Amino acid sequence: MANTNGIFQRGSSHYLRVVLPINHELQKQYKSGKIILSLGSCSYREAVTLGTIKRAEILGLIAPAQKTTAEQAPTKRTPTAYYLRDIYQRWKESKPRSSDAINSCMRALILFEEQTKNPILQELTRAQGDSFRAWLQQPERNTTSKTARDRLTWVKSLLKYAYRDLEIINRHPWEGIEIHSQTTQKRRPWDVSELNKLFSNELFTSYQLPKDWRCGGDAAYWLPILAIFTGARLSELAQLKPSDIALDCEIPTISISNAGAGQQVKTEAAIRKIPIHSEVIRLGFLNYVQKTVMANDTQLWSKLKFRKNKPGGNYSNWFGEFRKELELPQGLDFHSFRHGVRSQLAENDVPEPTIDAIMGHEIKGSTGAKIYSHRTTSSIKAAIELIKYRDLRLPNELCKLNL
């Protein structure tokens, strides 16, 4: 909402709204009778000063300030000049965005403004992109190559949006400018001894659920078990609803999608159905699901609280501490379960397109392989049943734990 001086804020940037007099010469150019300009400032006090001057110039109360030769490059918005922060505002409002995406993009934008001195987009050069890339990777910045790459990618995404969606610039000035990142910590699958150490805890042997609220009650028990037999991501499992589990069919399945309230997937390829492994059924998972249905629970894990739109955020923090308490290696995390599933499927010569269908990856290979994406539930079930952990001692089914 604008103040009486016409200054208002979108995100962290301030804008000026000027209502034109009826006979003003700019009425033909601005049919709405209003001009809205970015002041390019995060400070309200500075925005008031800039806005007062700009309003007076527009209304003809003062002459536009004359610039010296050193000041010829535009530093404030004109009707045809756009800054990257303007594009960020349009990008943010174009469709629902996660808070993580908005914050990550803003951090990259602030770095862009700091290093490039915030030129108008029409004057942005490839040389500036190369300079920004080098600056992000300077040793004194103490950032990983992946972090530097991500920040460059966010800026390039805004430039692409300005070029393709808004047509504000007639080319993508930084297209092809890349940072090749190196993985600083490579994940590996859990080995059987590590899995036995995990599943020998009383949480699994006697269903002693932790008191820590972050573990989500029953989720503490079921999520690792589901992970080692589905290869699903933590966020996918954490957001499940009772209706996502197909009980009344020959082959029970878990449906992963973005159809329900609060549900999201990483990519379109992540939308899939995963047949439930016989070992998961043996442990009583279908009985647990039936119990949540009868209780009219809207979430499969009624006590699992989401964190900033991240279904598995709180659980991930708890699991990391739980792993440390068990003195398991630091290189292992929940996502390592996923690596183990893919490794097992590959070692059992499961075709790559079927593995991708199970894991929720984009199908690779020839055009024919991508088009012929239909796989029967029974064929995927056969692949799922190849997941076996020799010498792994899993707990008894829940009914034998007298729960």
Side-chain angles (χ1 to χ4, degrees):
M1 182 175 181
N3 295 321
T4 54
N5 55 15
I7 306 295
F8 66 99
Q9 188 172 3
R10 287 179 183 166
S12 59
S13 185
H14 287 86
Y15 288 72
L16 171 68
R17 179 184 289 113
V18 180
V19 178
L20 298 171
I22 294 177
N23 296 321
H24 196 281
E25 61 182 6
L26 292 178
Q27 280 282 0
K28 293 181 180 179
Q29 183 176 349
Y30 296 91
K31 303 297 184 184
S32 66
K34 291 185 254 184
I35 296 178
I36 296 178
L37 301 174
S38 170
L39 296 171
S41 175
C42 298
S43 166
Y44 177 74
R45 181 176 296 178
E46 181 184 7
V48 169
T49 301
L50 295 173
T52 301
I53 295 172
K54 181 59 67 176
R55 175 190 292 277
E57 290 177 353
I58 291 172
L59 298 180
L61 302 177
I62 63 172
Q66 296 296 315
K67 297 178 182 178
T68 64
T69 303
E71 297 174 322
Q72 288 302 309
T75 57
K76 298 303 171 190
R77 168 81 174 273
T78 68
T80 58
Y82 289 86
Y83 295 92
L84 195 62
R85 188 172 289 266
D86 300 326
I87 307 307
Y88 164 79
Q89 295 295 338
R90 297 278 291 273
W91 168 85
K92 187 173 68 170
E93 297 166 1
S94 63
K95 68 177 185 180
R97 310 278 183 181
S98 70
S99 58
D100 283 346
I102 290 173
N103 293 335
S104 296
C105 190
M106 172 55 78
R107 285 193 290 270
L109 171 61
I110 291 172
L111 292 173
F112 168 88
E113 292 174 335
E114 176 186 348
Q115 196 275 332
T116 64
K117 307 307 179 188
N118 198 27
I120 62 174
L121 295 188
Q122 290 88 339
E123 298 181 356
L124 190 63
T125 66
R126 290 188 66 79
Q128 287 172 304
D130 179 66
S131 177
F132 183 64
R133 171 174 59 182
W135 182 75
L136 288 173
Q137 299 178 89
Q138 289 178 351
E140 55 267 31
R141 296 198 57 77
N142 196 28
T143 58
T144 65
S145 57
K146 180 182 182 304
T147 299
R149 183 197 65 185
D150 289 346
R151 288 171 176 170
L152 175 62
T153 299
W154 277 117
V155 172
K156 288 175 58 182
S157 295
L158 292 178
L159 293 174
K160 180 179 177 181
Y161 183 72
Y163 165 52
R164 292 193 177 178
D165 292 69
L166 302 179
E167 296 185 342
I168 286 172
I169 50 179
N170 58 15
R171 64 187 179 89
H172 187 327
W174 289 7
E175 185 175 6
I177 296 178
E178 308 286 352
I179 292 177
H180 300 287
S181 67
Q182 298 177 348
T183 303
T184 55
Q185 178 178 322
K186 293 184 178 180
R187 290 189 177 97
R188 64 169 177 83
W190 294 61
D191 64 34
V192 174
S193 65
E194 292 160 343
L195 289 173
N196 273 321
K197 191 169 187 178
L198 172 66
F199 288 110
S200 64
N201 183 268
E202 63 181 5
L203 164 60
F204 300 100
T205 58
S206 57
Y207 210 76
Q208 295 296 311
L209 299 179
K211 295 181 180 179
D212 192 322
W213 65 269
R214 296 174 300 169
C215 76
D218 299 291
Y221 176 90
W222 283 113
L223 291 186
I225 290 174
L226 289 173
I228 67 173
F229 287 110
T230 65
R233 301 174 177 90
L234 172 57
S235 59
E236 296 171 340
L237 296 173
Q239 70 182 5
L240 289 175
K241 302 177 183 298
S243 57
D244 294 325
I245 315 302
L247 300 175
D248 301 326
C249 54
E250 183 179 351
I251 301 177
T253 60
I254 296 173
S255 178
I256 294 173
S257 74
N258 56 359
Q263 291 185 321
Q264 55 188 342
V265 293
K266 188 173 183 179
T267 64
E268 287 297 314
I271 298 175
R272 63 201 188 279
K273 293 183 184 294
I274 306 175
I276 301 175
H277 197 286
S278 58
E279 185 66 3
V280 178
I281 295 175
R282 179 190 73 81
L283 291 171
F285 179 63
L286 300 188
N287 294 331
Y288 171 80
V289 175
Q290 190 62 49
K291 184 181 71 172
T292 65
V293 171
M294 294 178 65
N296 292 320
D297 290 334
T298 57
Q299 297 294 134
L300 194 57
W301 326 109
S302 60
K303 294 183 180 180
L304 183 60
K305 299 182 185 300
F306 292 7
R307 176 174 64 84
K308 294 181 180 178
N309 298 322
K310 281 190 171 183
N314 289 319
Y315 186 96
S316 179
N317 291 342
W318 168 79
F319 188 81
E321 294 177 11
F322 181 57
R323 175 191 54 76
K324 291 179 182 178
E325 290 174 5
L326 297 179
E327 297 181 348
L328 287 161
Q330 185 175 356
L332 296 174
D333 59 14
F334 196 94
H335 200 77
S336 299
F337 295 138
R338 184 169 164 83
H339 287 256
V341 169
R342 186 173 189 96
S343 296
Q344 284 215 39
L345 294 172
E347 289 169 4
N348 281 284
D349 297 322
V350 174
E352 193 70 20
T354 301
I355 296 178
D356 289 336
I358 293 171
M359 305 298 291
H361 286 152
E362 188 71 35
I363 295 176
K364 308 176 187 68
S366 65
T367 302
K370 294 179 180 180
I371 295 175
Y372 185 68
S373 59
H374 176 72
R375 287 163 186 81
T376 64
T377 303
S378 58
S379 66
I380 297 180
K381 169 71 169 176
I384 286 288
E385 289 299 326
L386 293 174
I387 302 173
K388 300 182 186 298
Y389 297 90
R390 186 176 301 175
D391 299 324
L392 174 60
R393 299 181 298 277
L394 284 173
N396 293 321
E397 55 266 41
L398 294 186
C399 62
K400 290 187 178 180
L401 296 177
N402 297 319
L403 300 177

